[in-house]
Amino acid sequence: MSEPTAAGGTDALRDIARTWRPGPVHSTDALDPGPSAALSAVLGLPFPAAAAGQPLPPLWHWLHFLNWPRQSELGADGHPRDGHFLPPLPQRRRMFAGGRLDVRAPLTLGTHAELTSSLGGAEVKEGRSGGLLFVTVRSEYRQGGALCVTEEVDLVYRSGGGAPVPAELVPDTVTAPEADAGWQRPWRTDPTLLFRFSALTANAHRIHYDEPYTTGTEGYPGLVVHGPLLVLSMLELVRREVPGRSVRALSYRLRKPVFCGERLLTCGEGGPAGGRGGHGSGTGGGTGVRLRVASCREDAHATAEVTLA
């Protein structure tokens, strides 16, 4: 299929948004403690964030219910060529845009869990480079038949095109960002960290570990830091600063890519809850936390609003 013109491409995206209706899928997972212990080590924590029988930290379910397609089912970029919630686009490019989380009760590590995922919506919007297809996948996590966690993930797809960053961008790996926020944690990534996080989340997308491919084919100036890793860094700051509080609702957005080696600052501060952080919860009596991940070139690569119980 040839690359469509900008107008034709947008029309094709609208056809997909109107007619593409994948049904729900169901899966189960034992929530084995091993992946949590592994991620704790990757994040440099002194001991596992949770053990069997304890609450799983919010969004650490990303380590579970993983899909491992056969090697022959991957595309040239390392991403699956086909998938239940992957729209049928030619030369498909995928970006992780954001999401929301509502926690009725934390998932318990080491306890059998059930997942039902469905298409929450598909909408076409115009970007600077043409049409973009926004896809929302809604997931419900249950244990013992009870709904524990509801999650919505927003993904953006486009057909072909170069990297969505200025061609002249050169990452600064020396200058440290600054902020006056009450909560701060400086950190940086390296290829080993990105490789280990890719392995833990079954993410074979080459932009996270294959630098020649990333710069020569995708057009990025360096390895791309995983969006989920940025989100987890914000939640880890909350766990460090208010260890006795649990997350009731979360809303996050990925705004600008981060590149491997850039010096980062995850920062934020708490206050009275204001507004809705998730699917209708997050008001009244809770504590609201605003967070962001900054570099010397961007004040907010990622942002999040958290409501604490």
Side-chain angles (χ1 to χ4, degrees):
M1 182 174 180
S2 61
E3 178 78 7
T5 63
T10 300
D11 289 341
L13 291 178
R14 291 197 178 99
D15 287 341
I16 292 172
R18 185 177 64 254
T19 61
W20 179 59
R21 290 293 180 269
V25 294
H26 307 276
S27 58
T28 62
D29 195 285
L31 297 192
D32 184 89
S36 290
L39 179 59
S40 299
V42 169
L43 297 180
L45 303 182
F47 48 81
Q54 295 179 338
L56 188 67
L59 293 182
W60 284 44
H61 59 252
W62 284 344
L63 305 175
H64 302 277
F65 303 95
L66 300 179
N67 179 35
W68 285 92
R70 291 188 295 270
Q71 195 71 12
S72 60
E73 296 174 338
L74 300 180
D77 61 357
H79 199 264
R81 281 194 304 270
D82 301 297
H84 193 75
F85 294 113
L86 294 178
L89 283 174
Q91 298 178 302
R92 182 178 55 227
R93 296 287 185 93
R94 174 183 180 270
M95 294 173 285
F96 185 42
R100 293 153 299 283
L101 188 76
D102 185 70
V103 182
R104 296 190 179 186
L107 293 168
T108 300
L109 194 61
T111 299
H112 179 88
E114 301 174 351
L115 166 63
T116 300
S117 296
S118 59
L119 180 67
E123 181 183 3
V124 176
K125 298 181 181 180
E126 284 292 334
R128 287 176 296 180
S129 59
L132 301 172
L133 178 63
F134 284 74
V135 173
T136 297
V137 177
R138 179 182 173 89
S139 298
E140 296 181 344
Y141 297 84
R142 289 177 167 81
Q143 286 185 318
L147 177 63
C148 299
V149 174
T150 302
E151 178 183 24
E152 289 183 349
V153 173
D154 301 324
L155 303 166
V156 182
Y157 295 94
R158 58 195 176 98
S159 184
V165 296
E168 66 277 7
L169 176 62
V170 177
D172 182 344
T173 60
V174 176
T175 307
E178 298 180 357
D180 58 2
W183 301 353
Q184 298 191 23
R185 176 186 171 255
W187 62 295
R188 66 198 307 174
T189 62
D190 59 34
T192 304
L193 172 61
L194 300 191
F195 174 81
R196 297 176 82 191
F197 190 77
S198 287
L200 279 173
T201 54
N203 186 344
H205 199 173
R206 292 168 67 182
I207 63 172
H208 303 305
Y209 60 87
D210 185 341
E211 187 161 11
Y213 169 84
T214 304
T215 58
T217 301
E218 295 273 358
Y220 289 103
L223 295 176
V224 181
V225 177
H226 309 70
L229 183 56
L230 301 180
V231 177
L232 289 176
S233 81
M234 293 187 285
L235 288 173
E236 281 303 291
L237 186 62
V238 174
R239 287 203 324 120
R240 187 189 76 179
E241 296 292 338
V242 282
R245 305 289 295 275
S246 59
V247 171
R248 183 167 65 190
L250 163 69
S251 177
Y252 60 90
R253 183 177 175 187
L254 284 305
R255 299 174 181 273
K256 299 285 186 178
V258 172
F259 301 103
C260 188
E262 290 187 291
R263 300 182 67 172
L264 303 174
L265 183 67
T266 298
C267 54
E269 47 200 344
R276 291 167 55 173
H279 304 277
S281 66
T283 59
T287 299
V289 179
R290 293 182 179 272
L291 304 132
R292 60 188 172 93
V293 179
S295 73
C296 67
R297 63 181 175 86
E298 293 286 349
D299 287 335
H301 290 277
T303 57
E305 294 184 11
V306 175
T307 300
L308 302 175

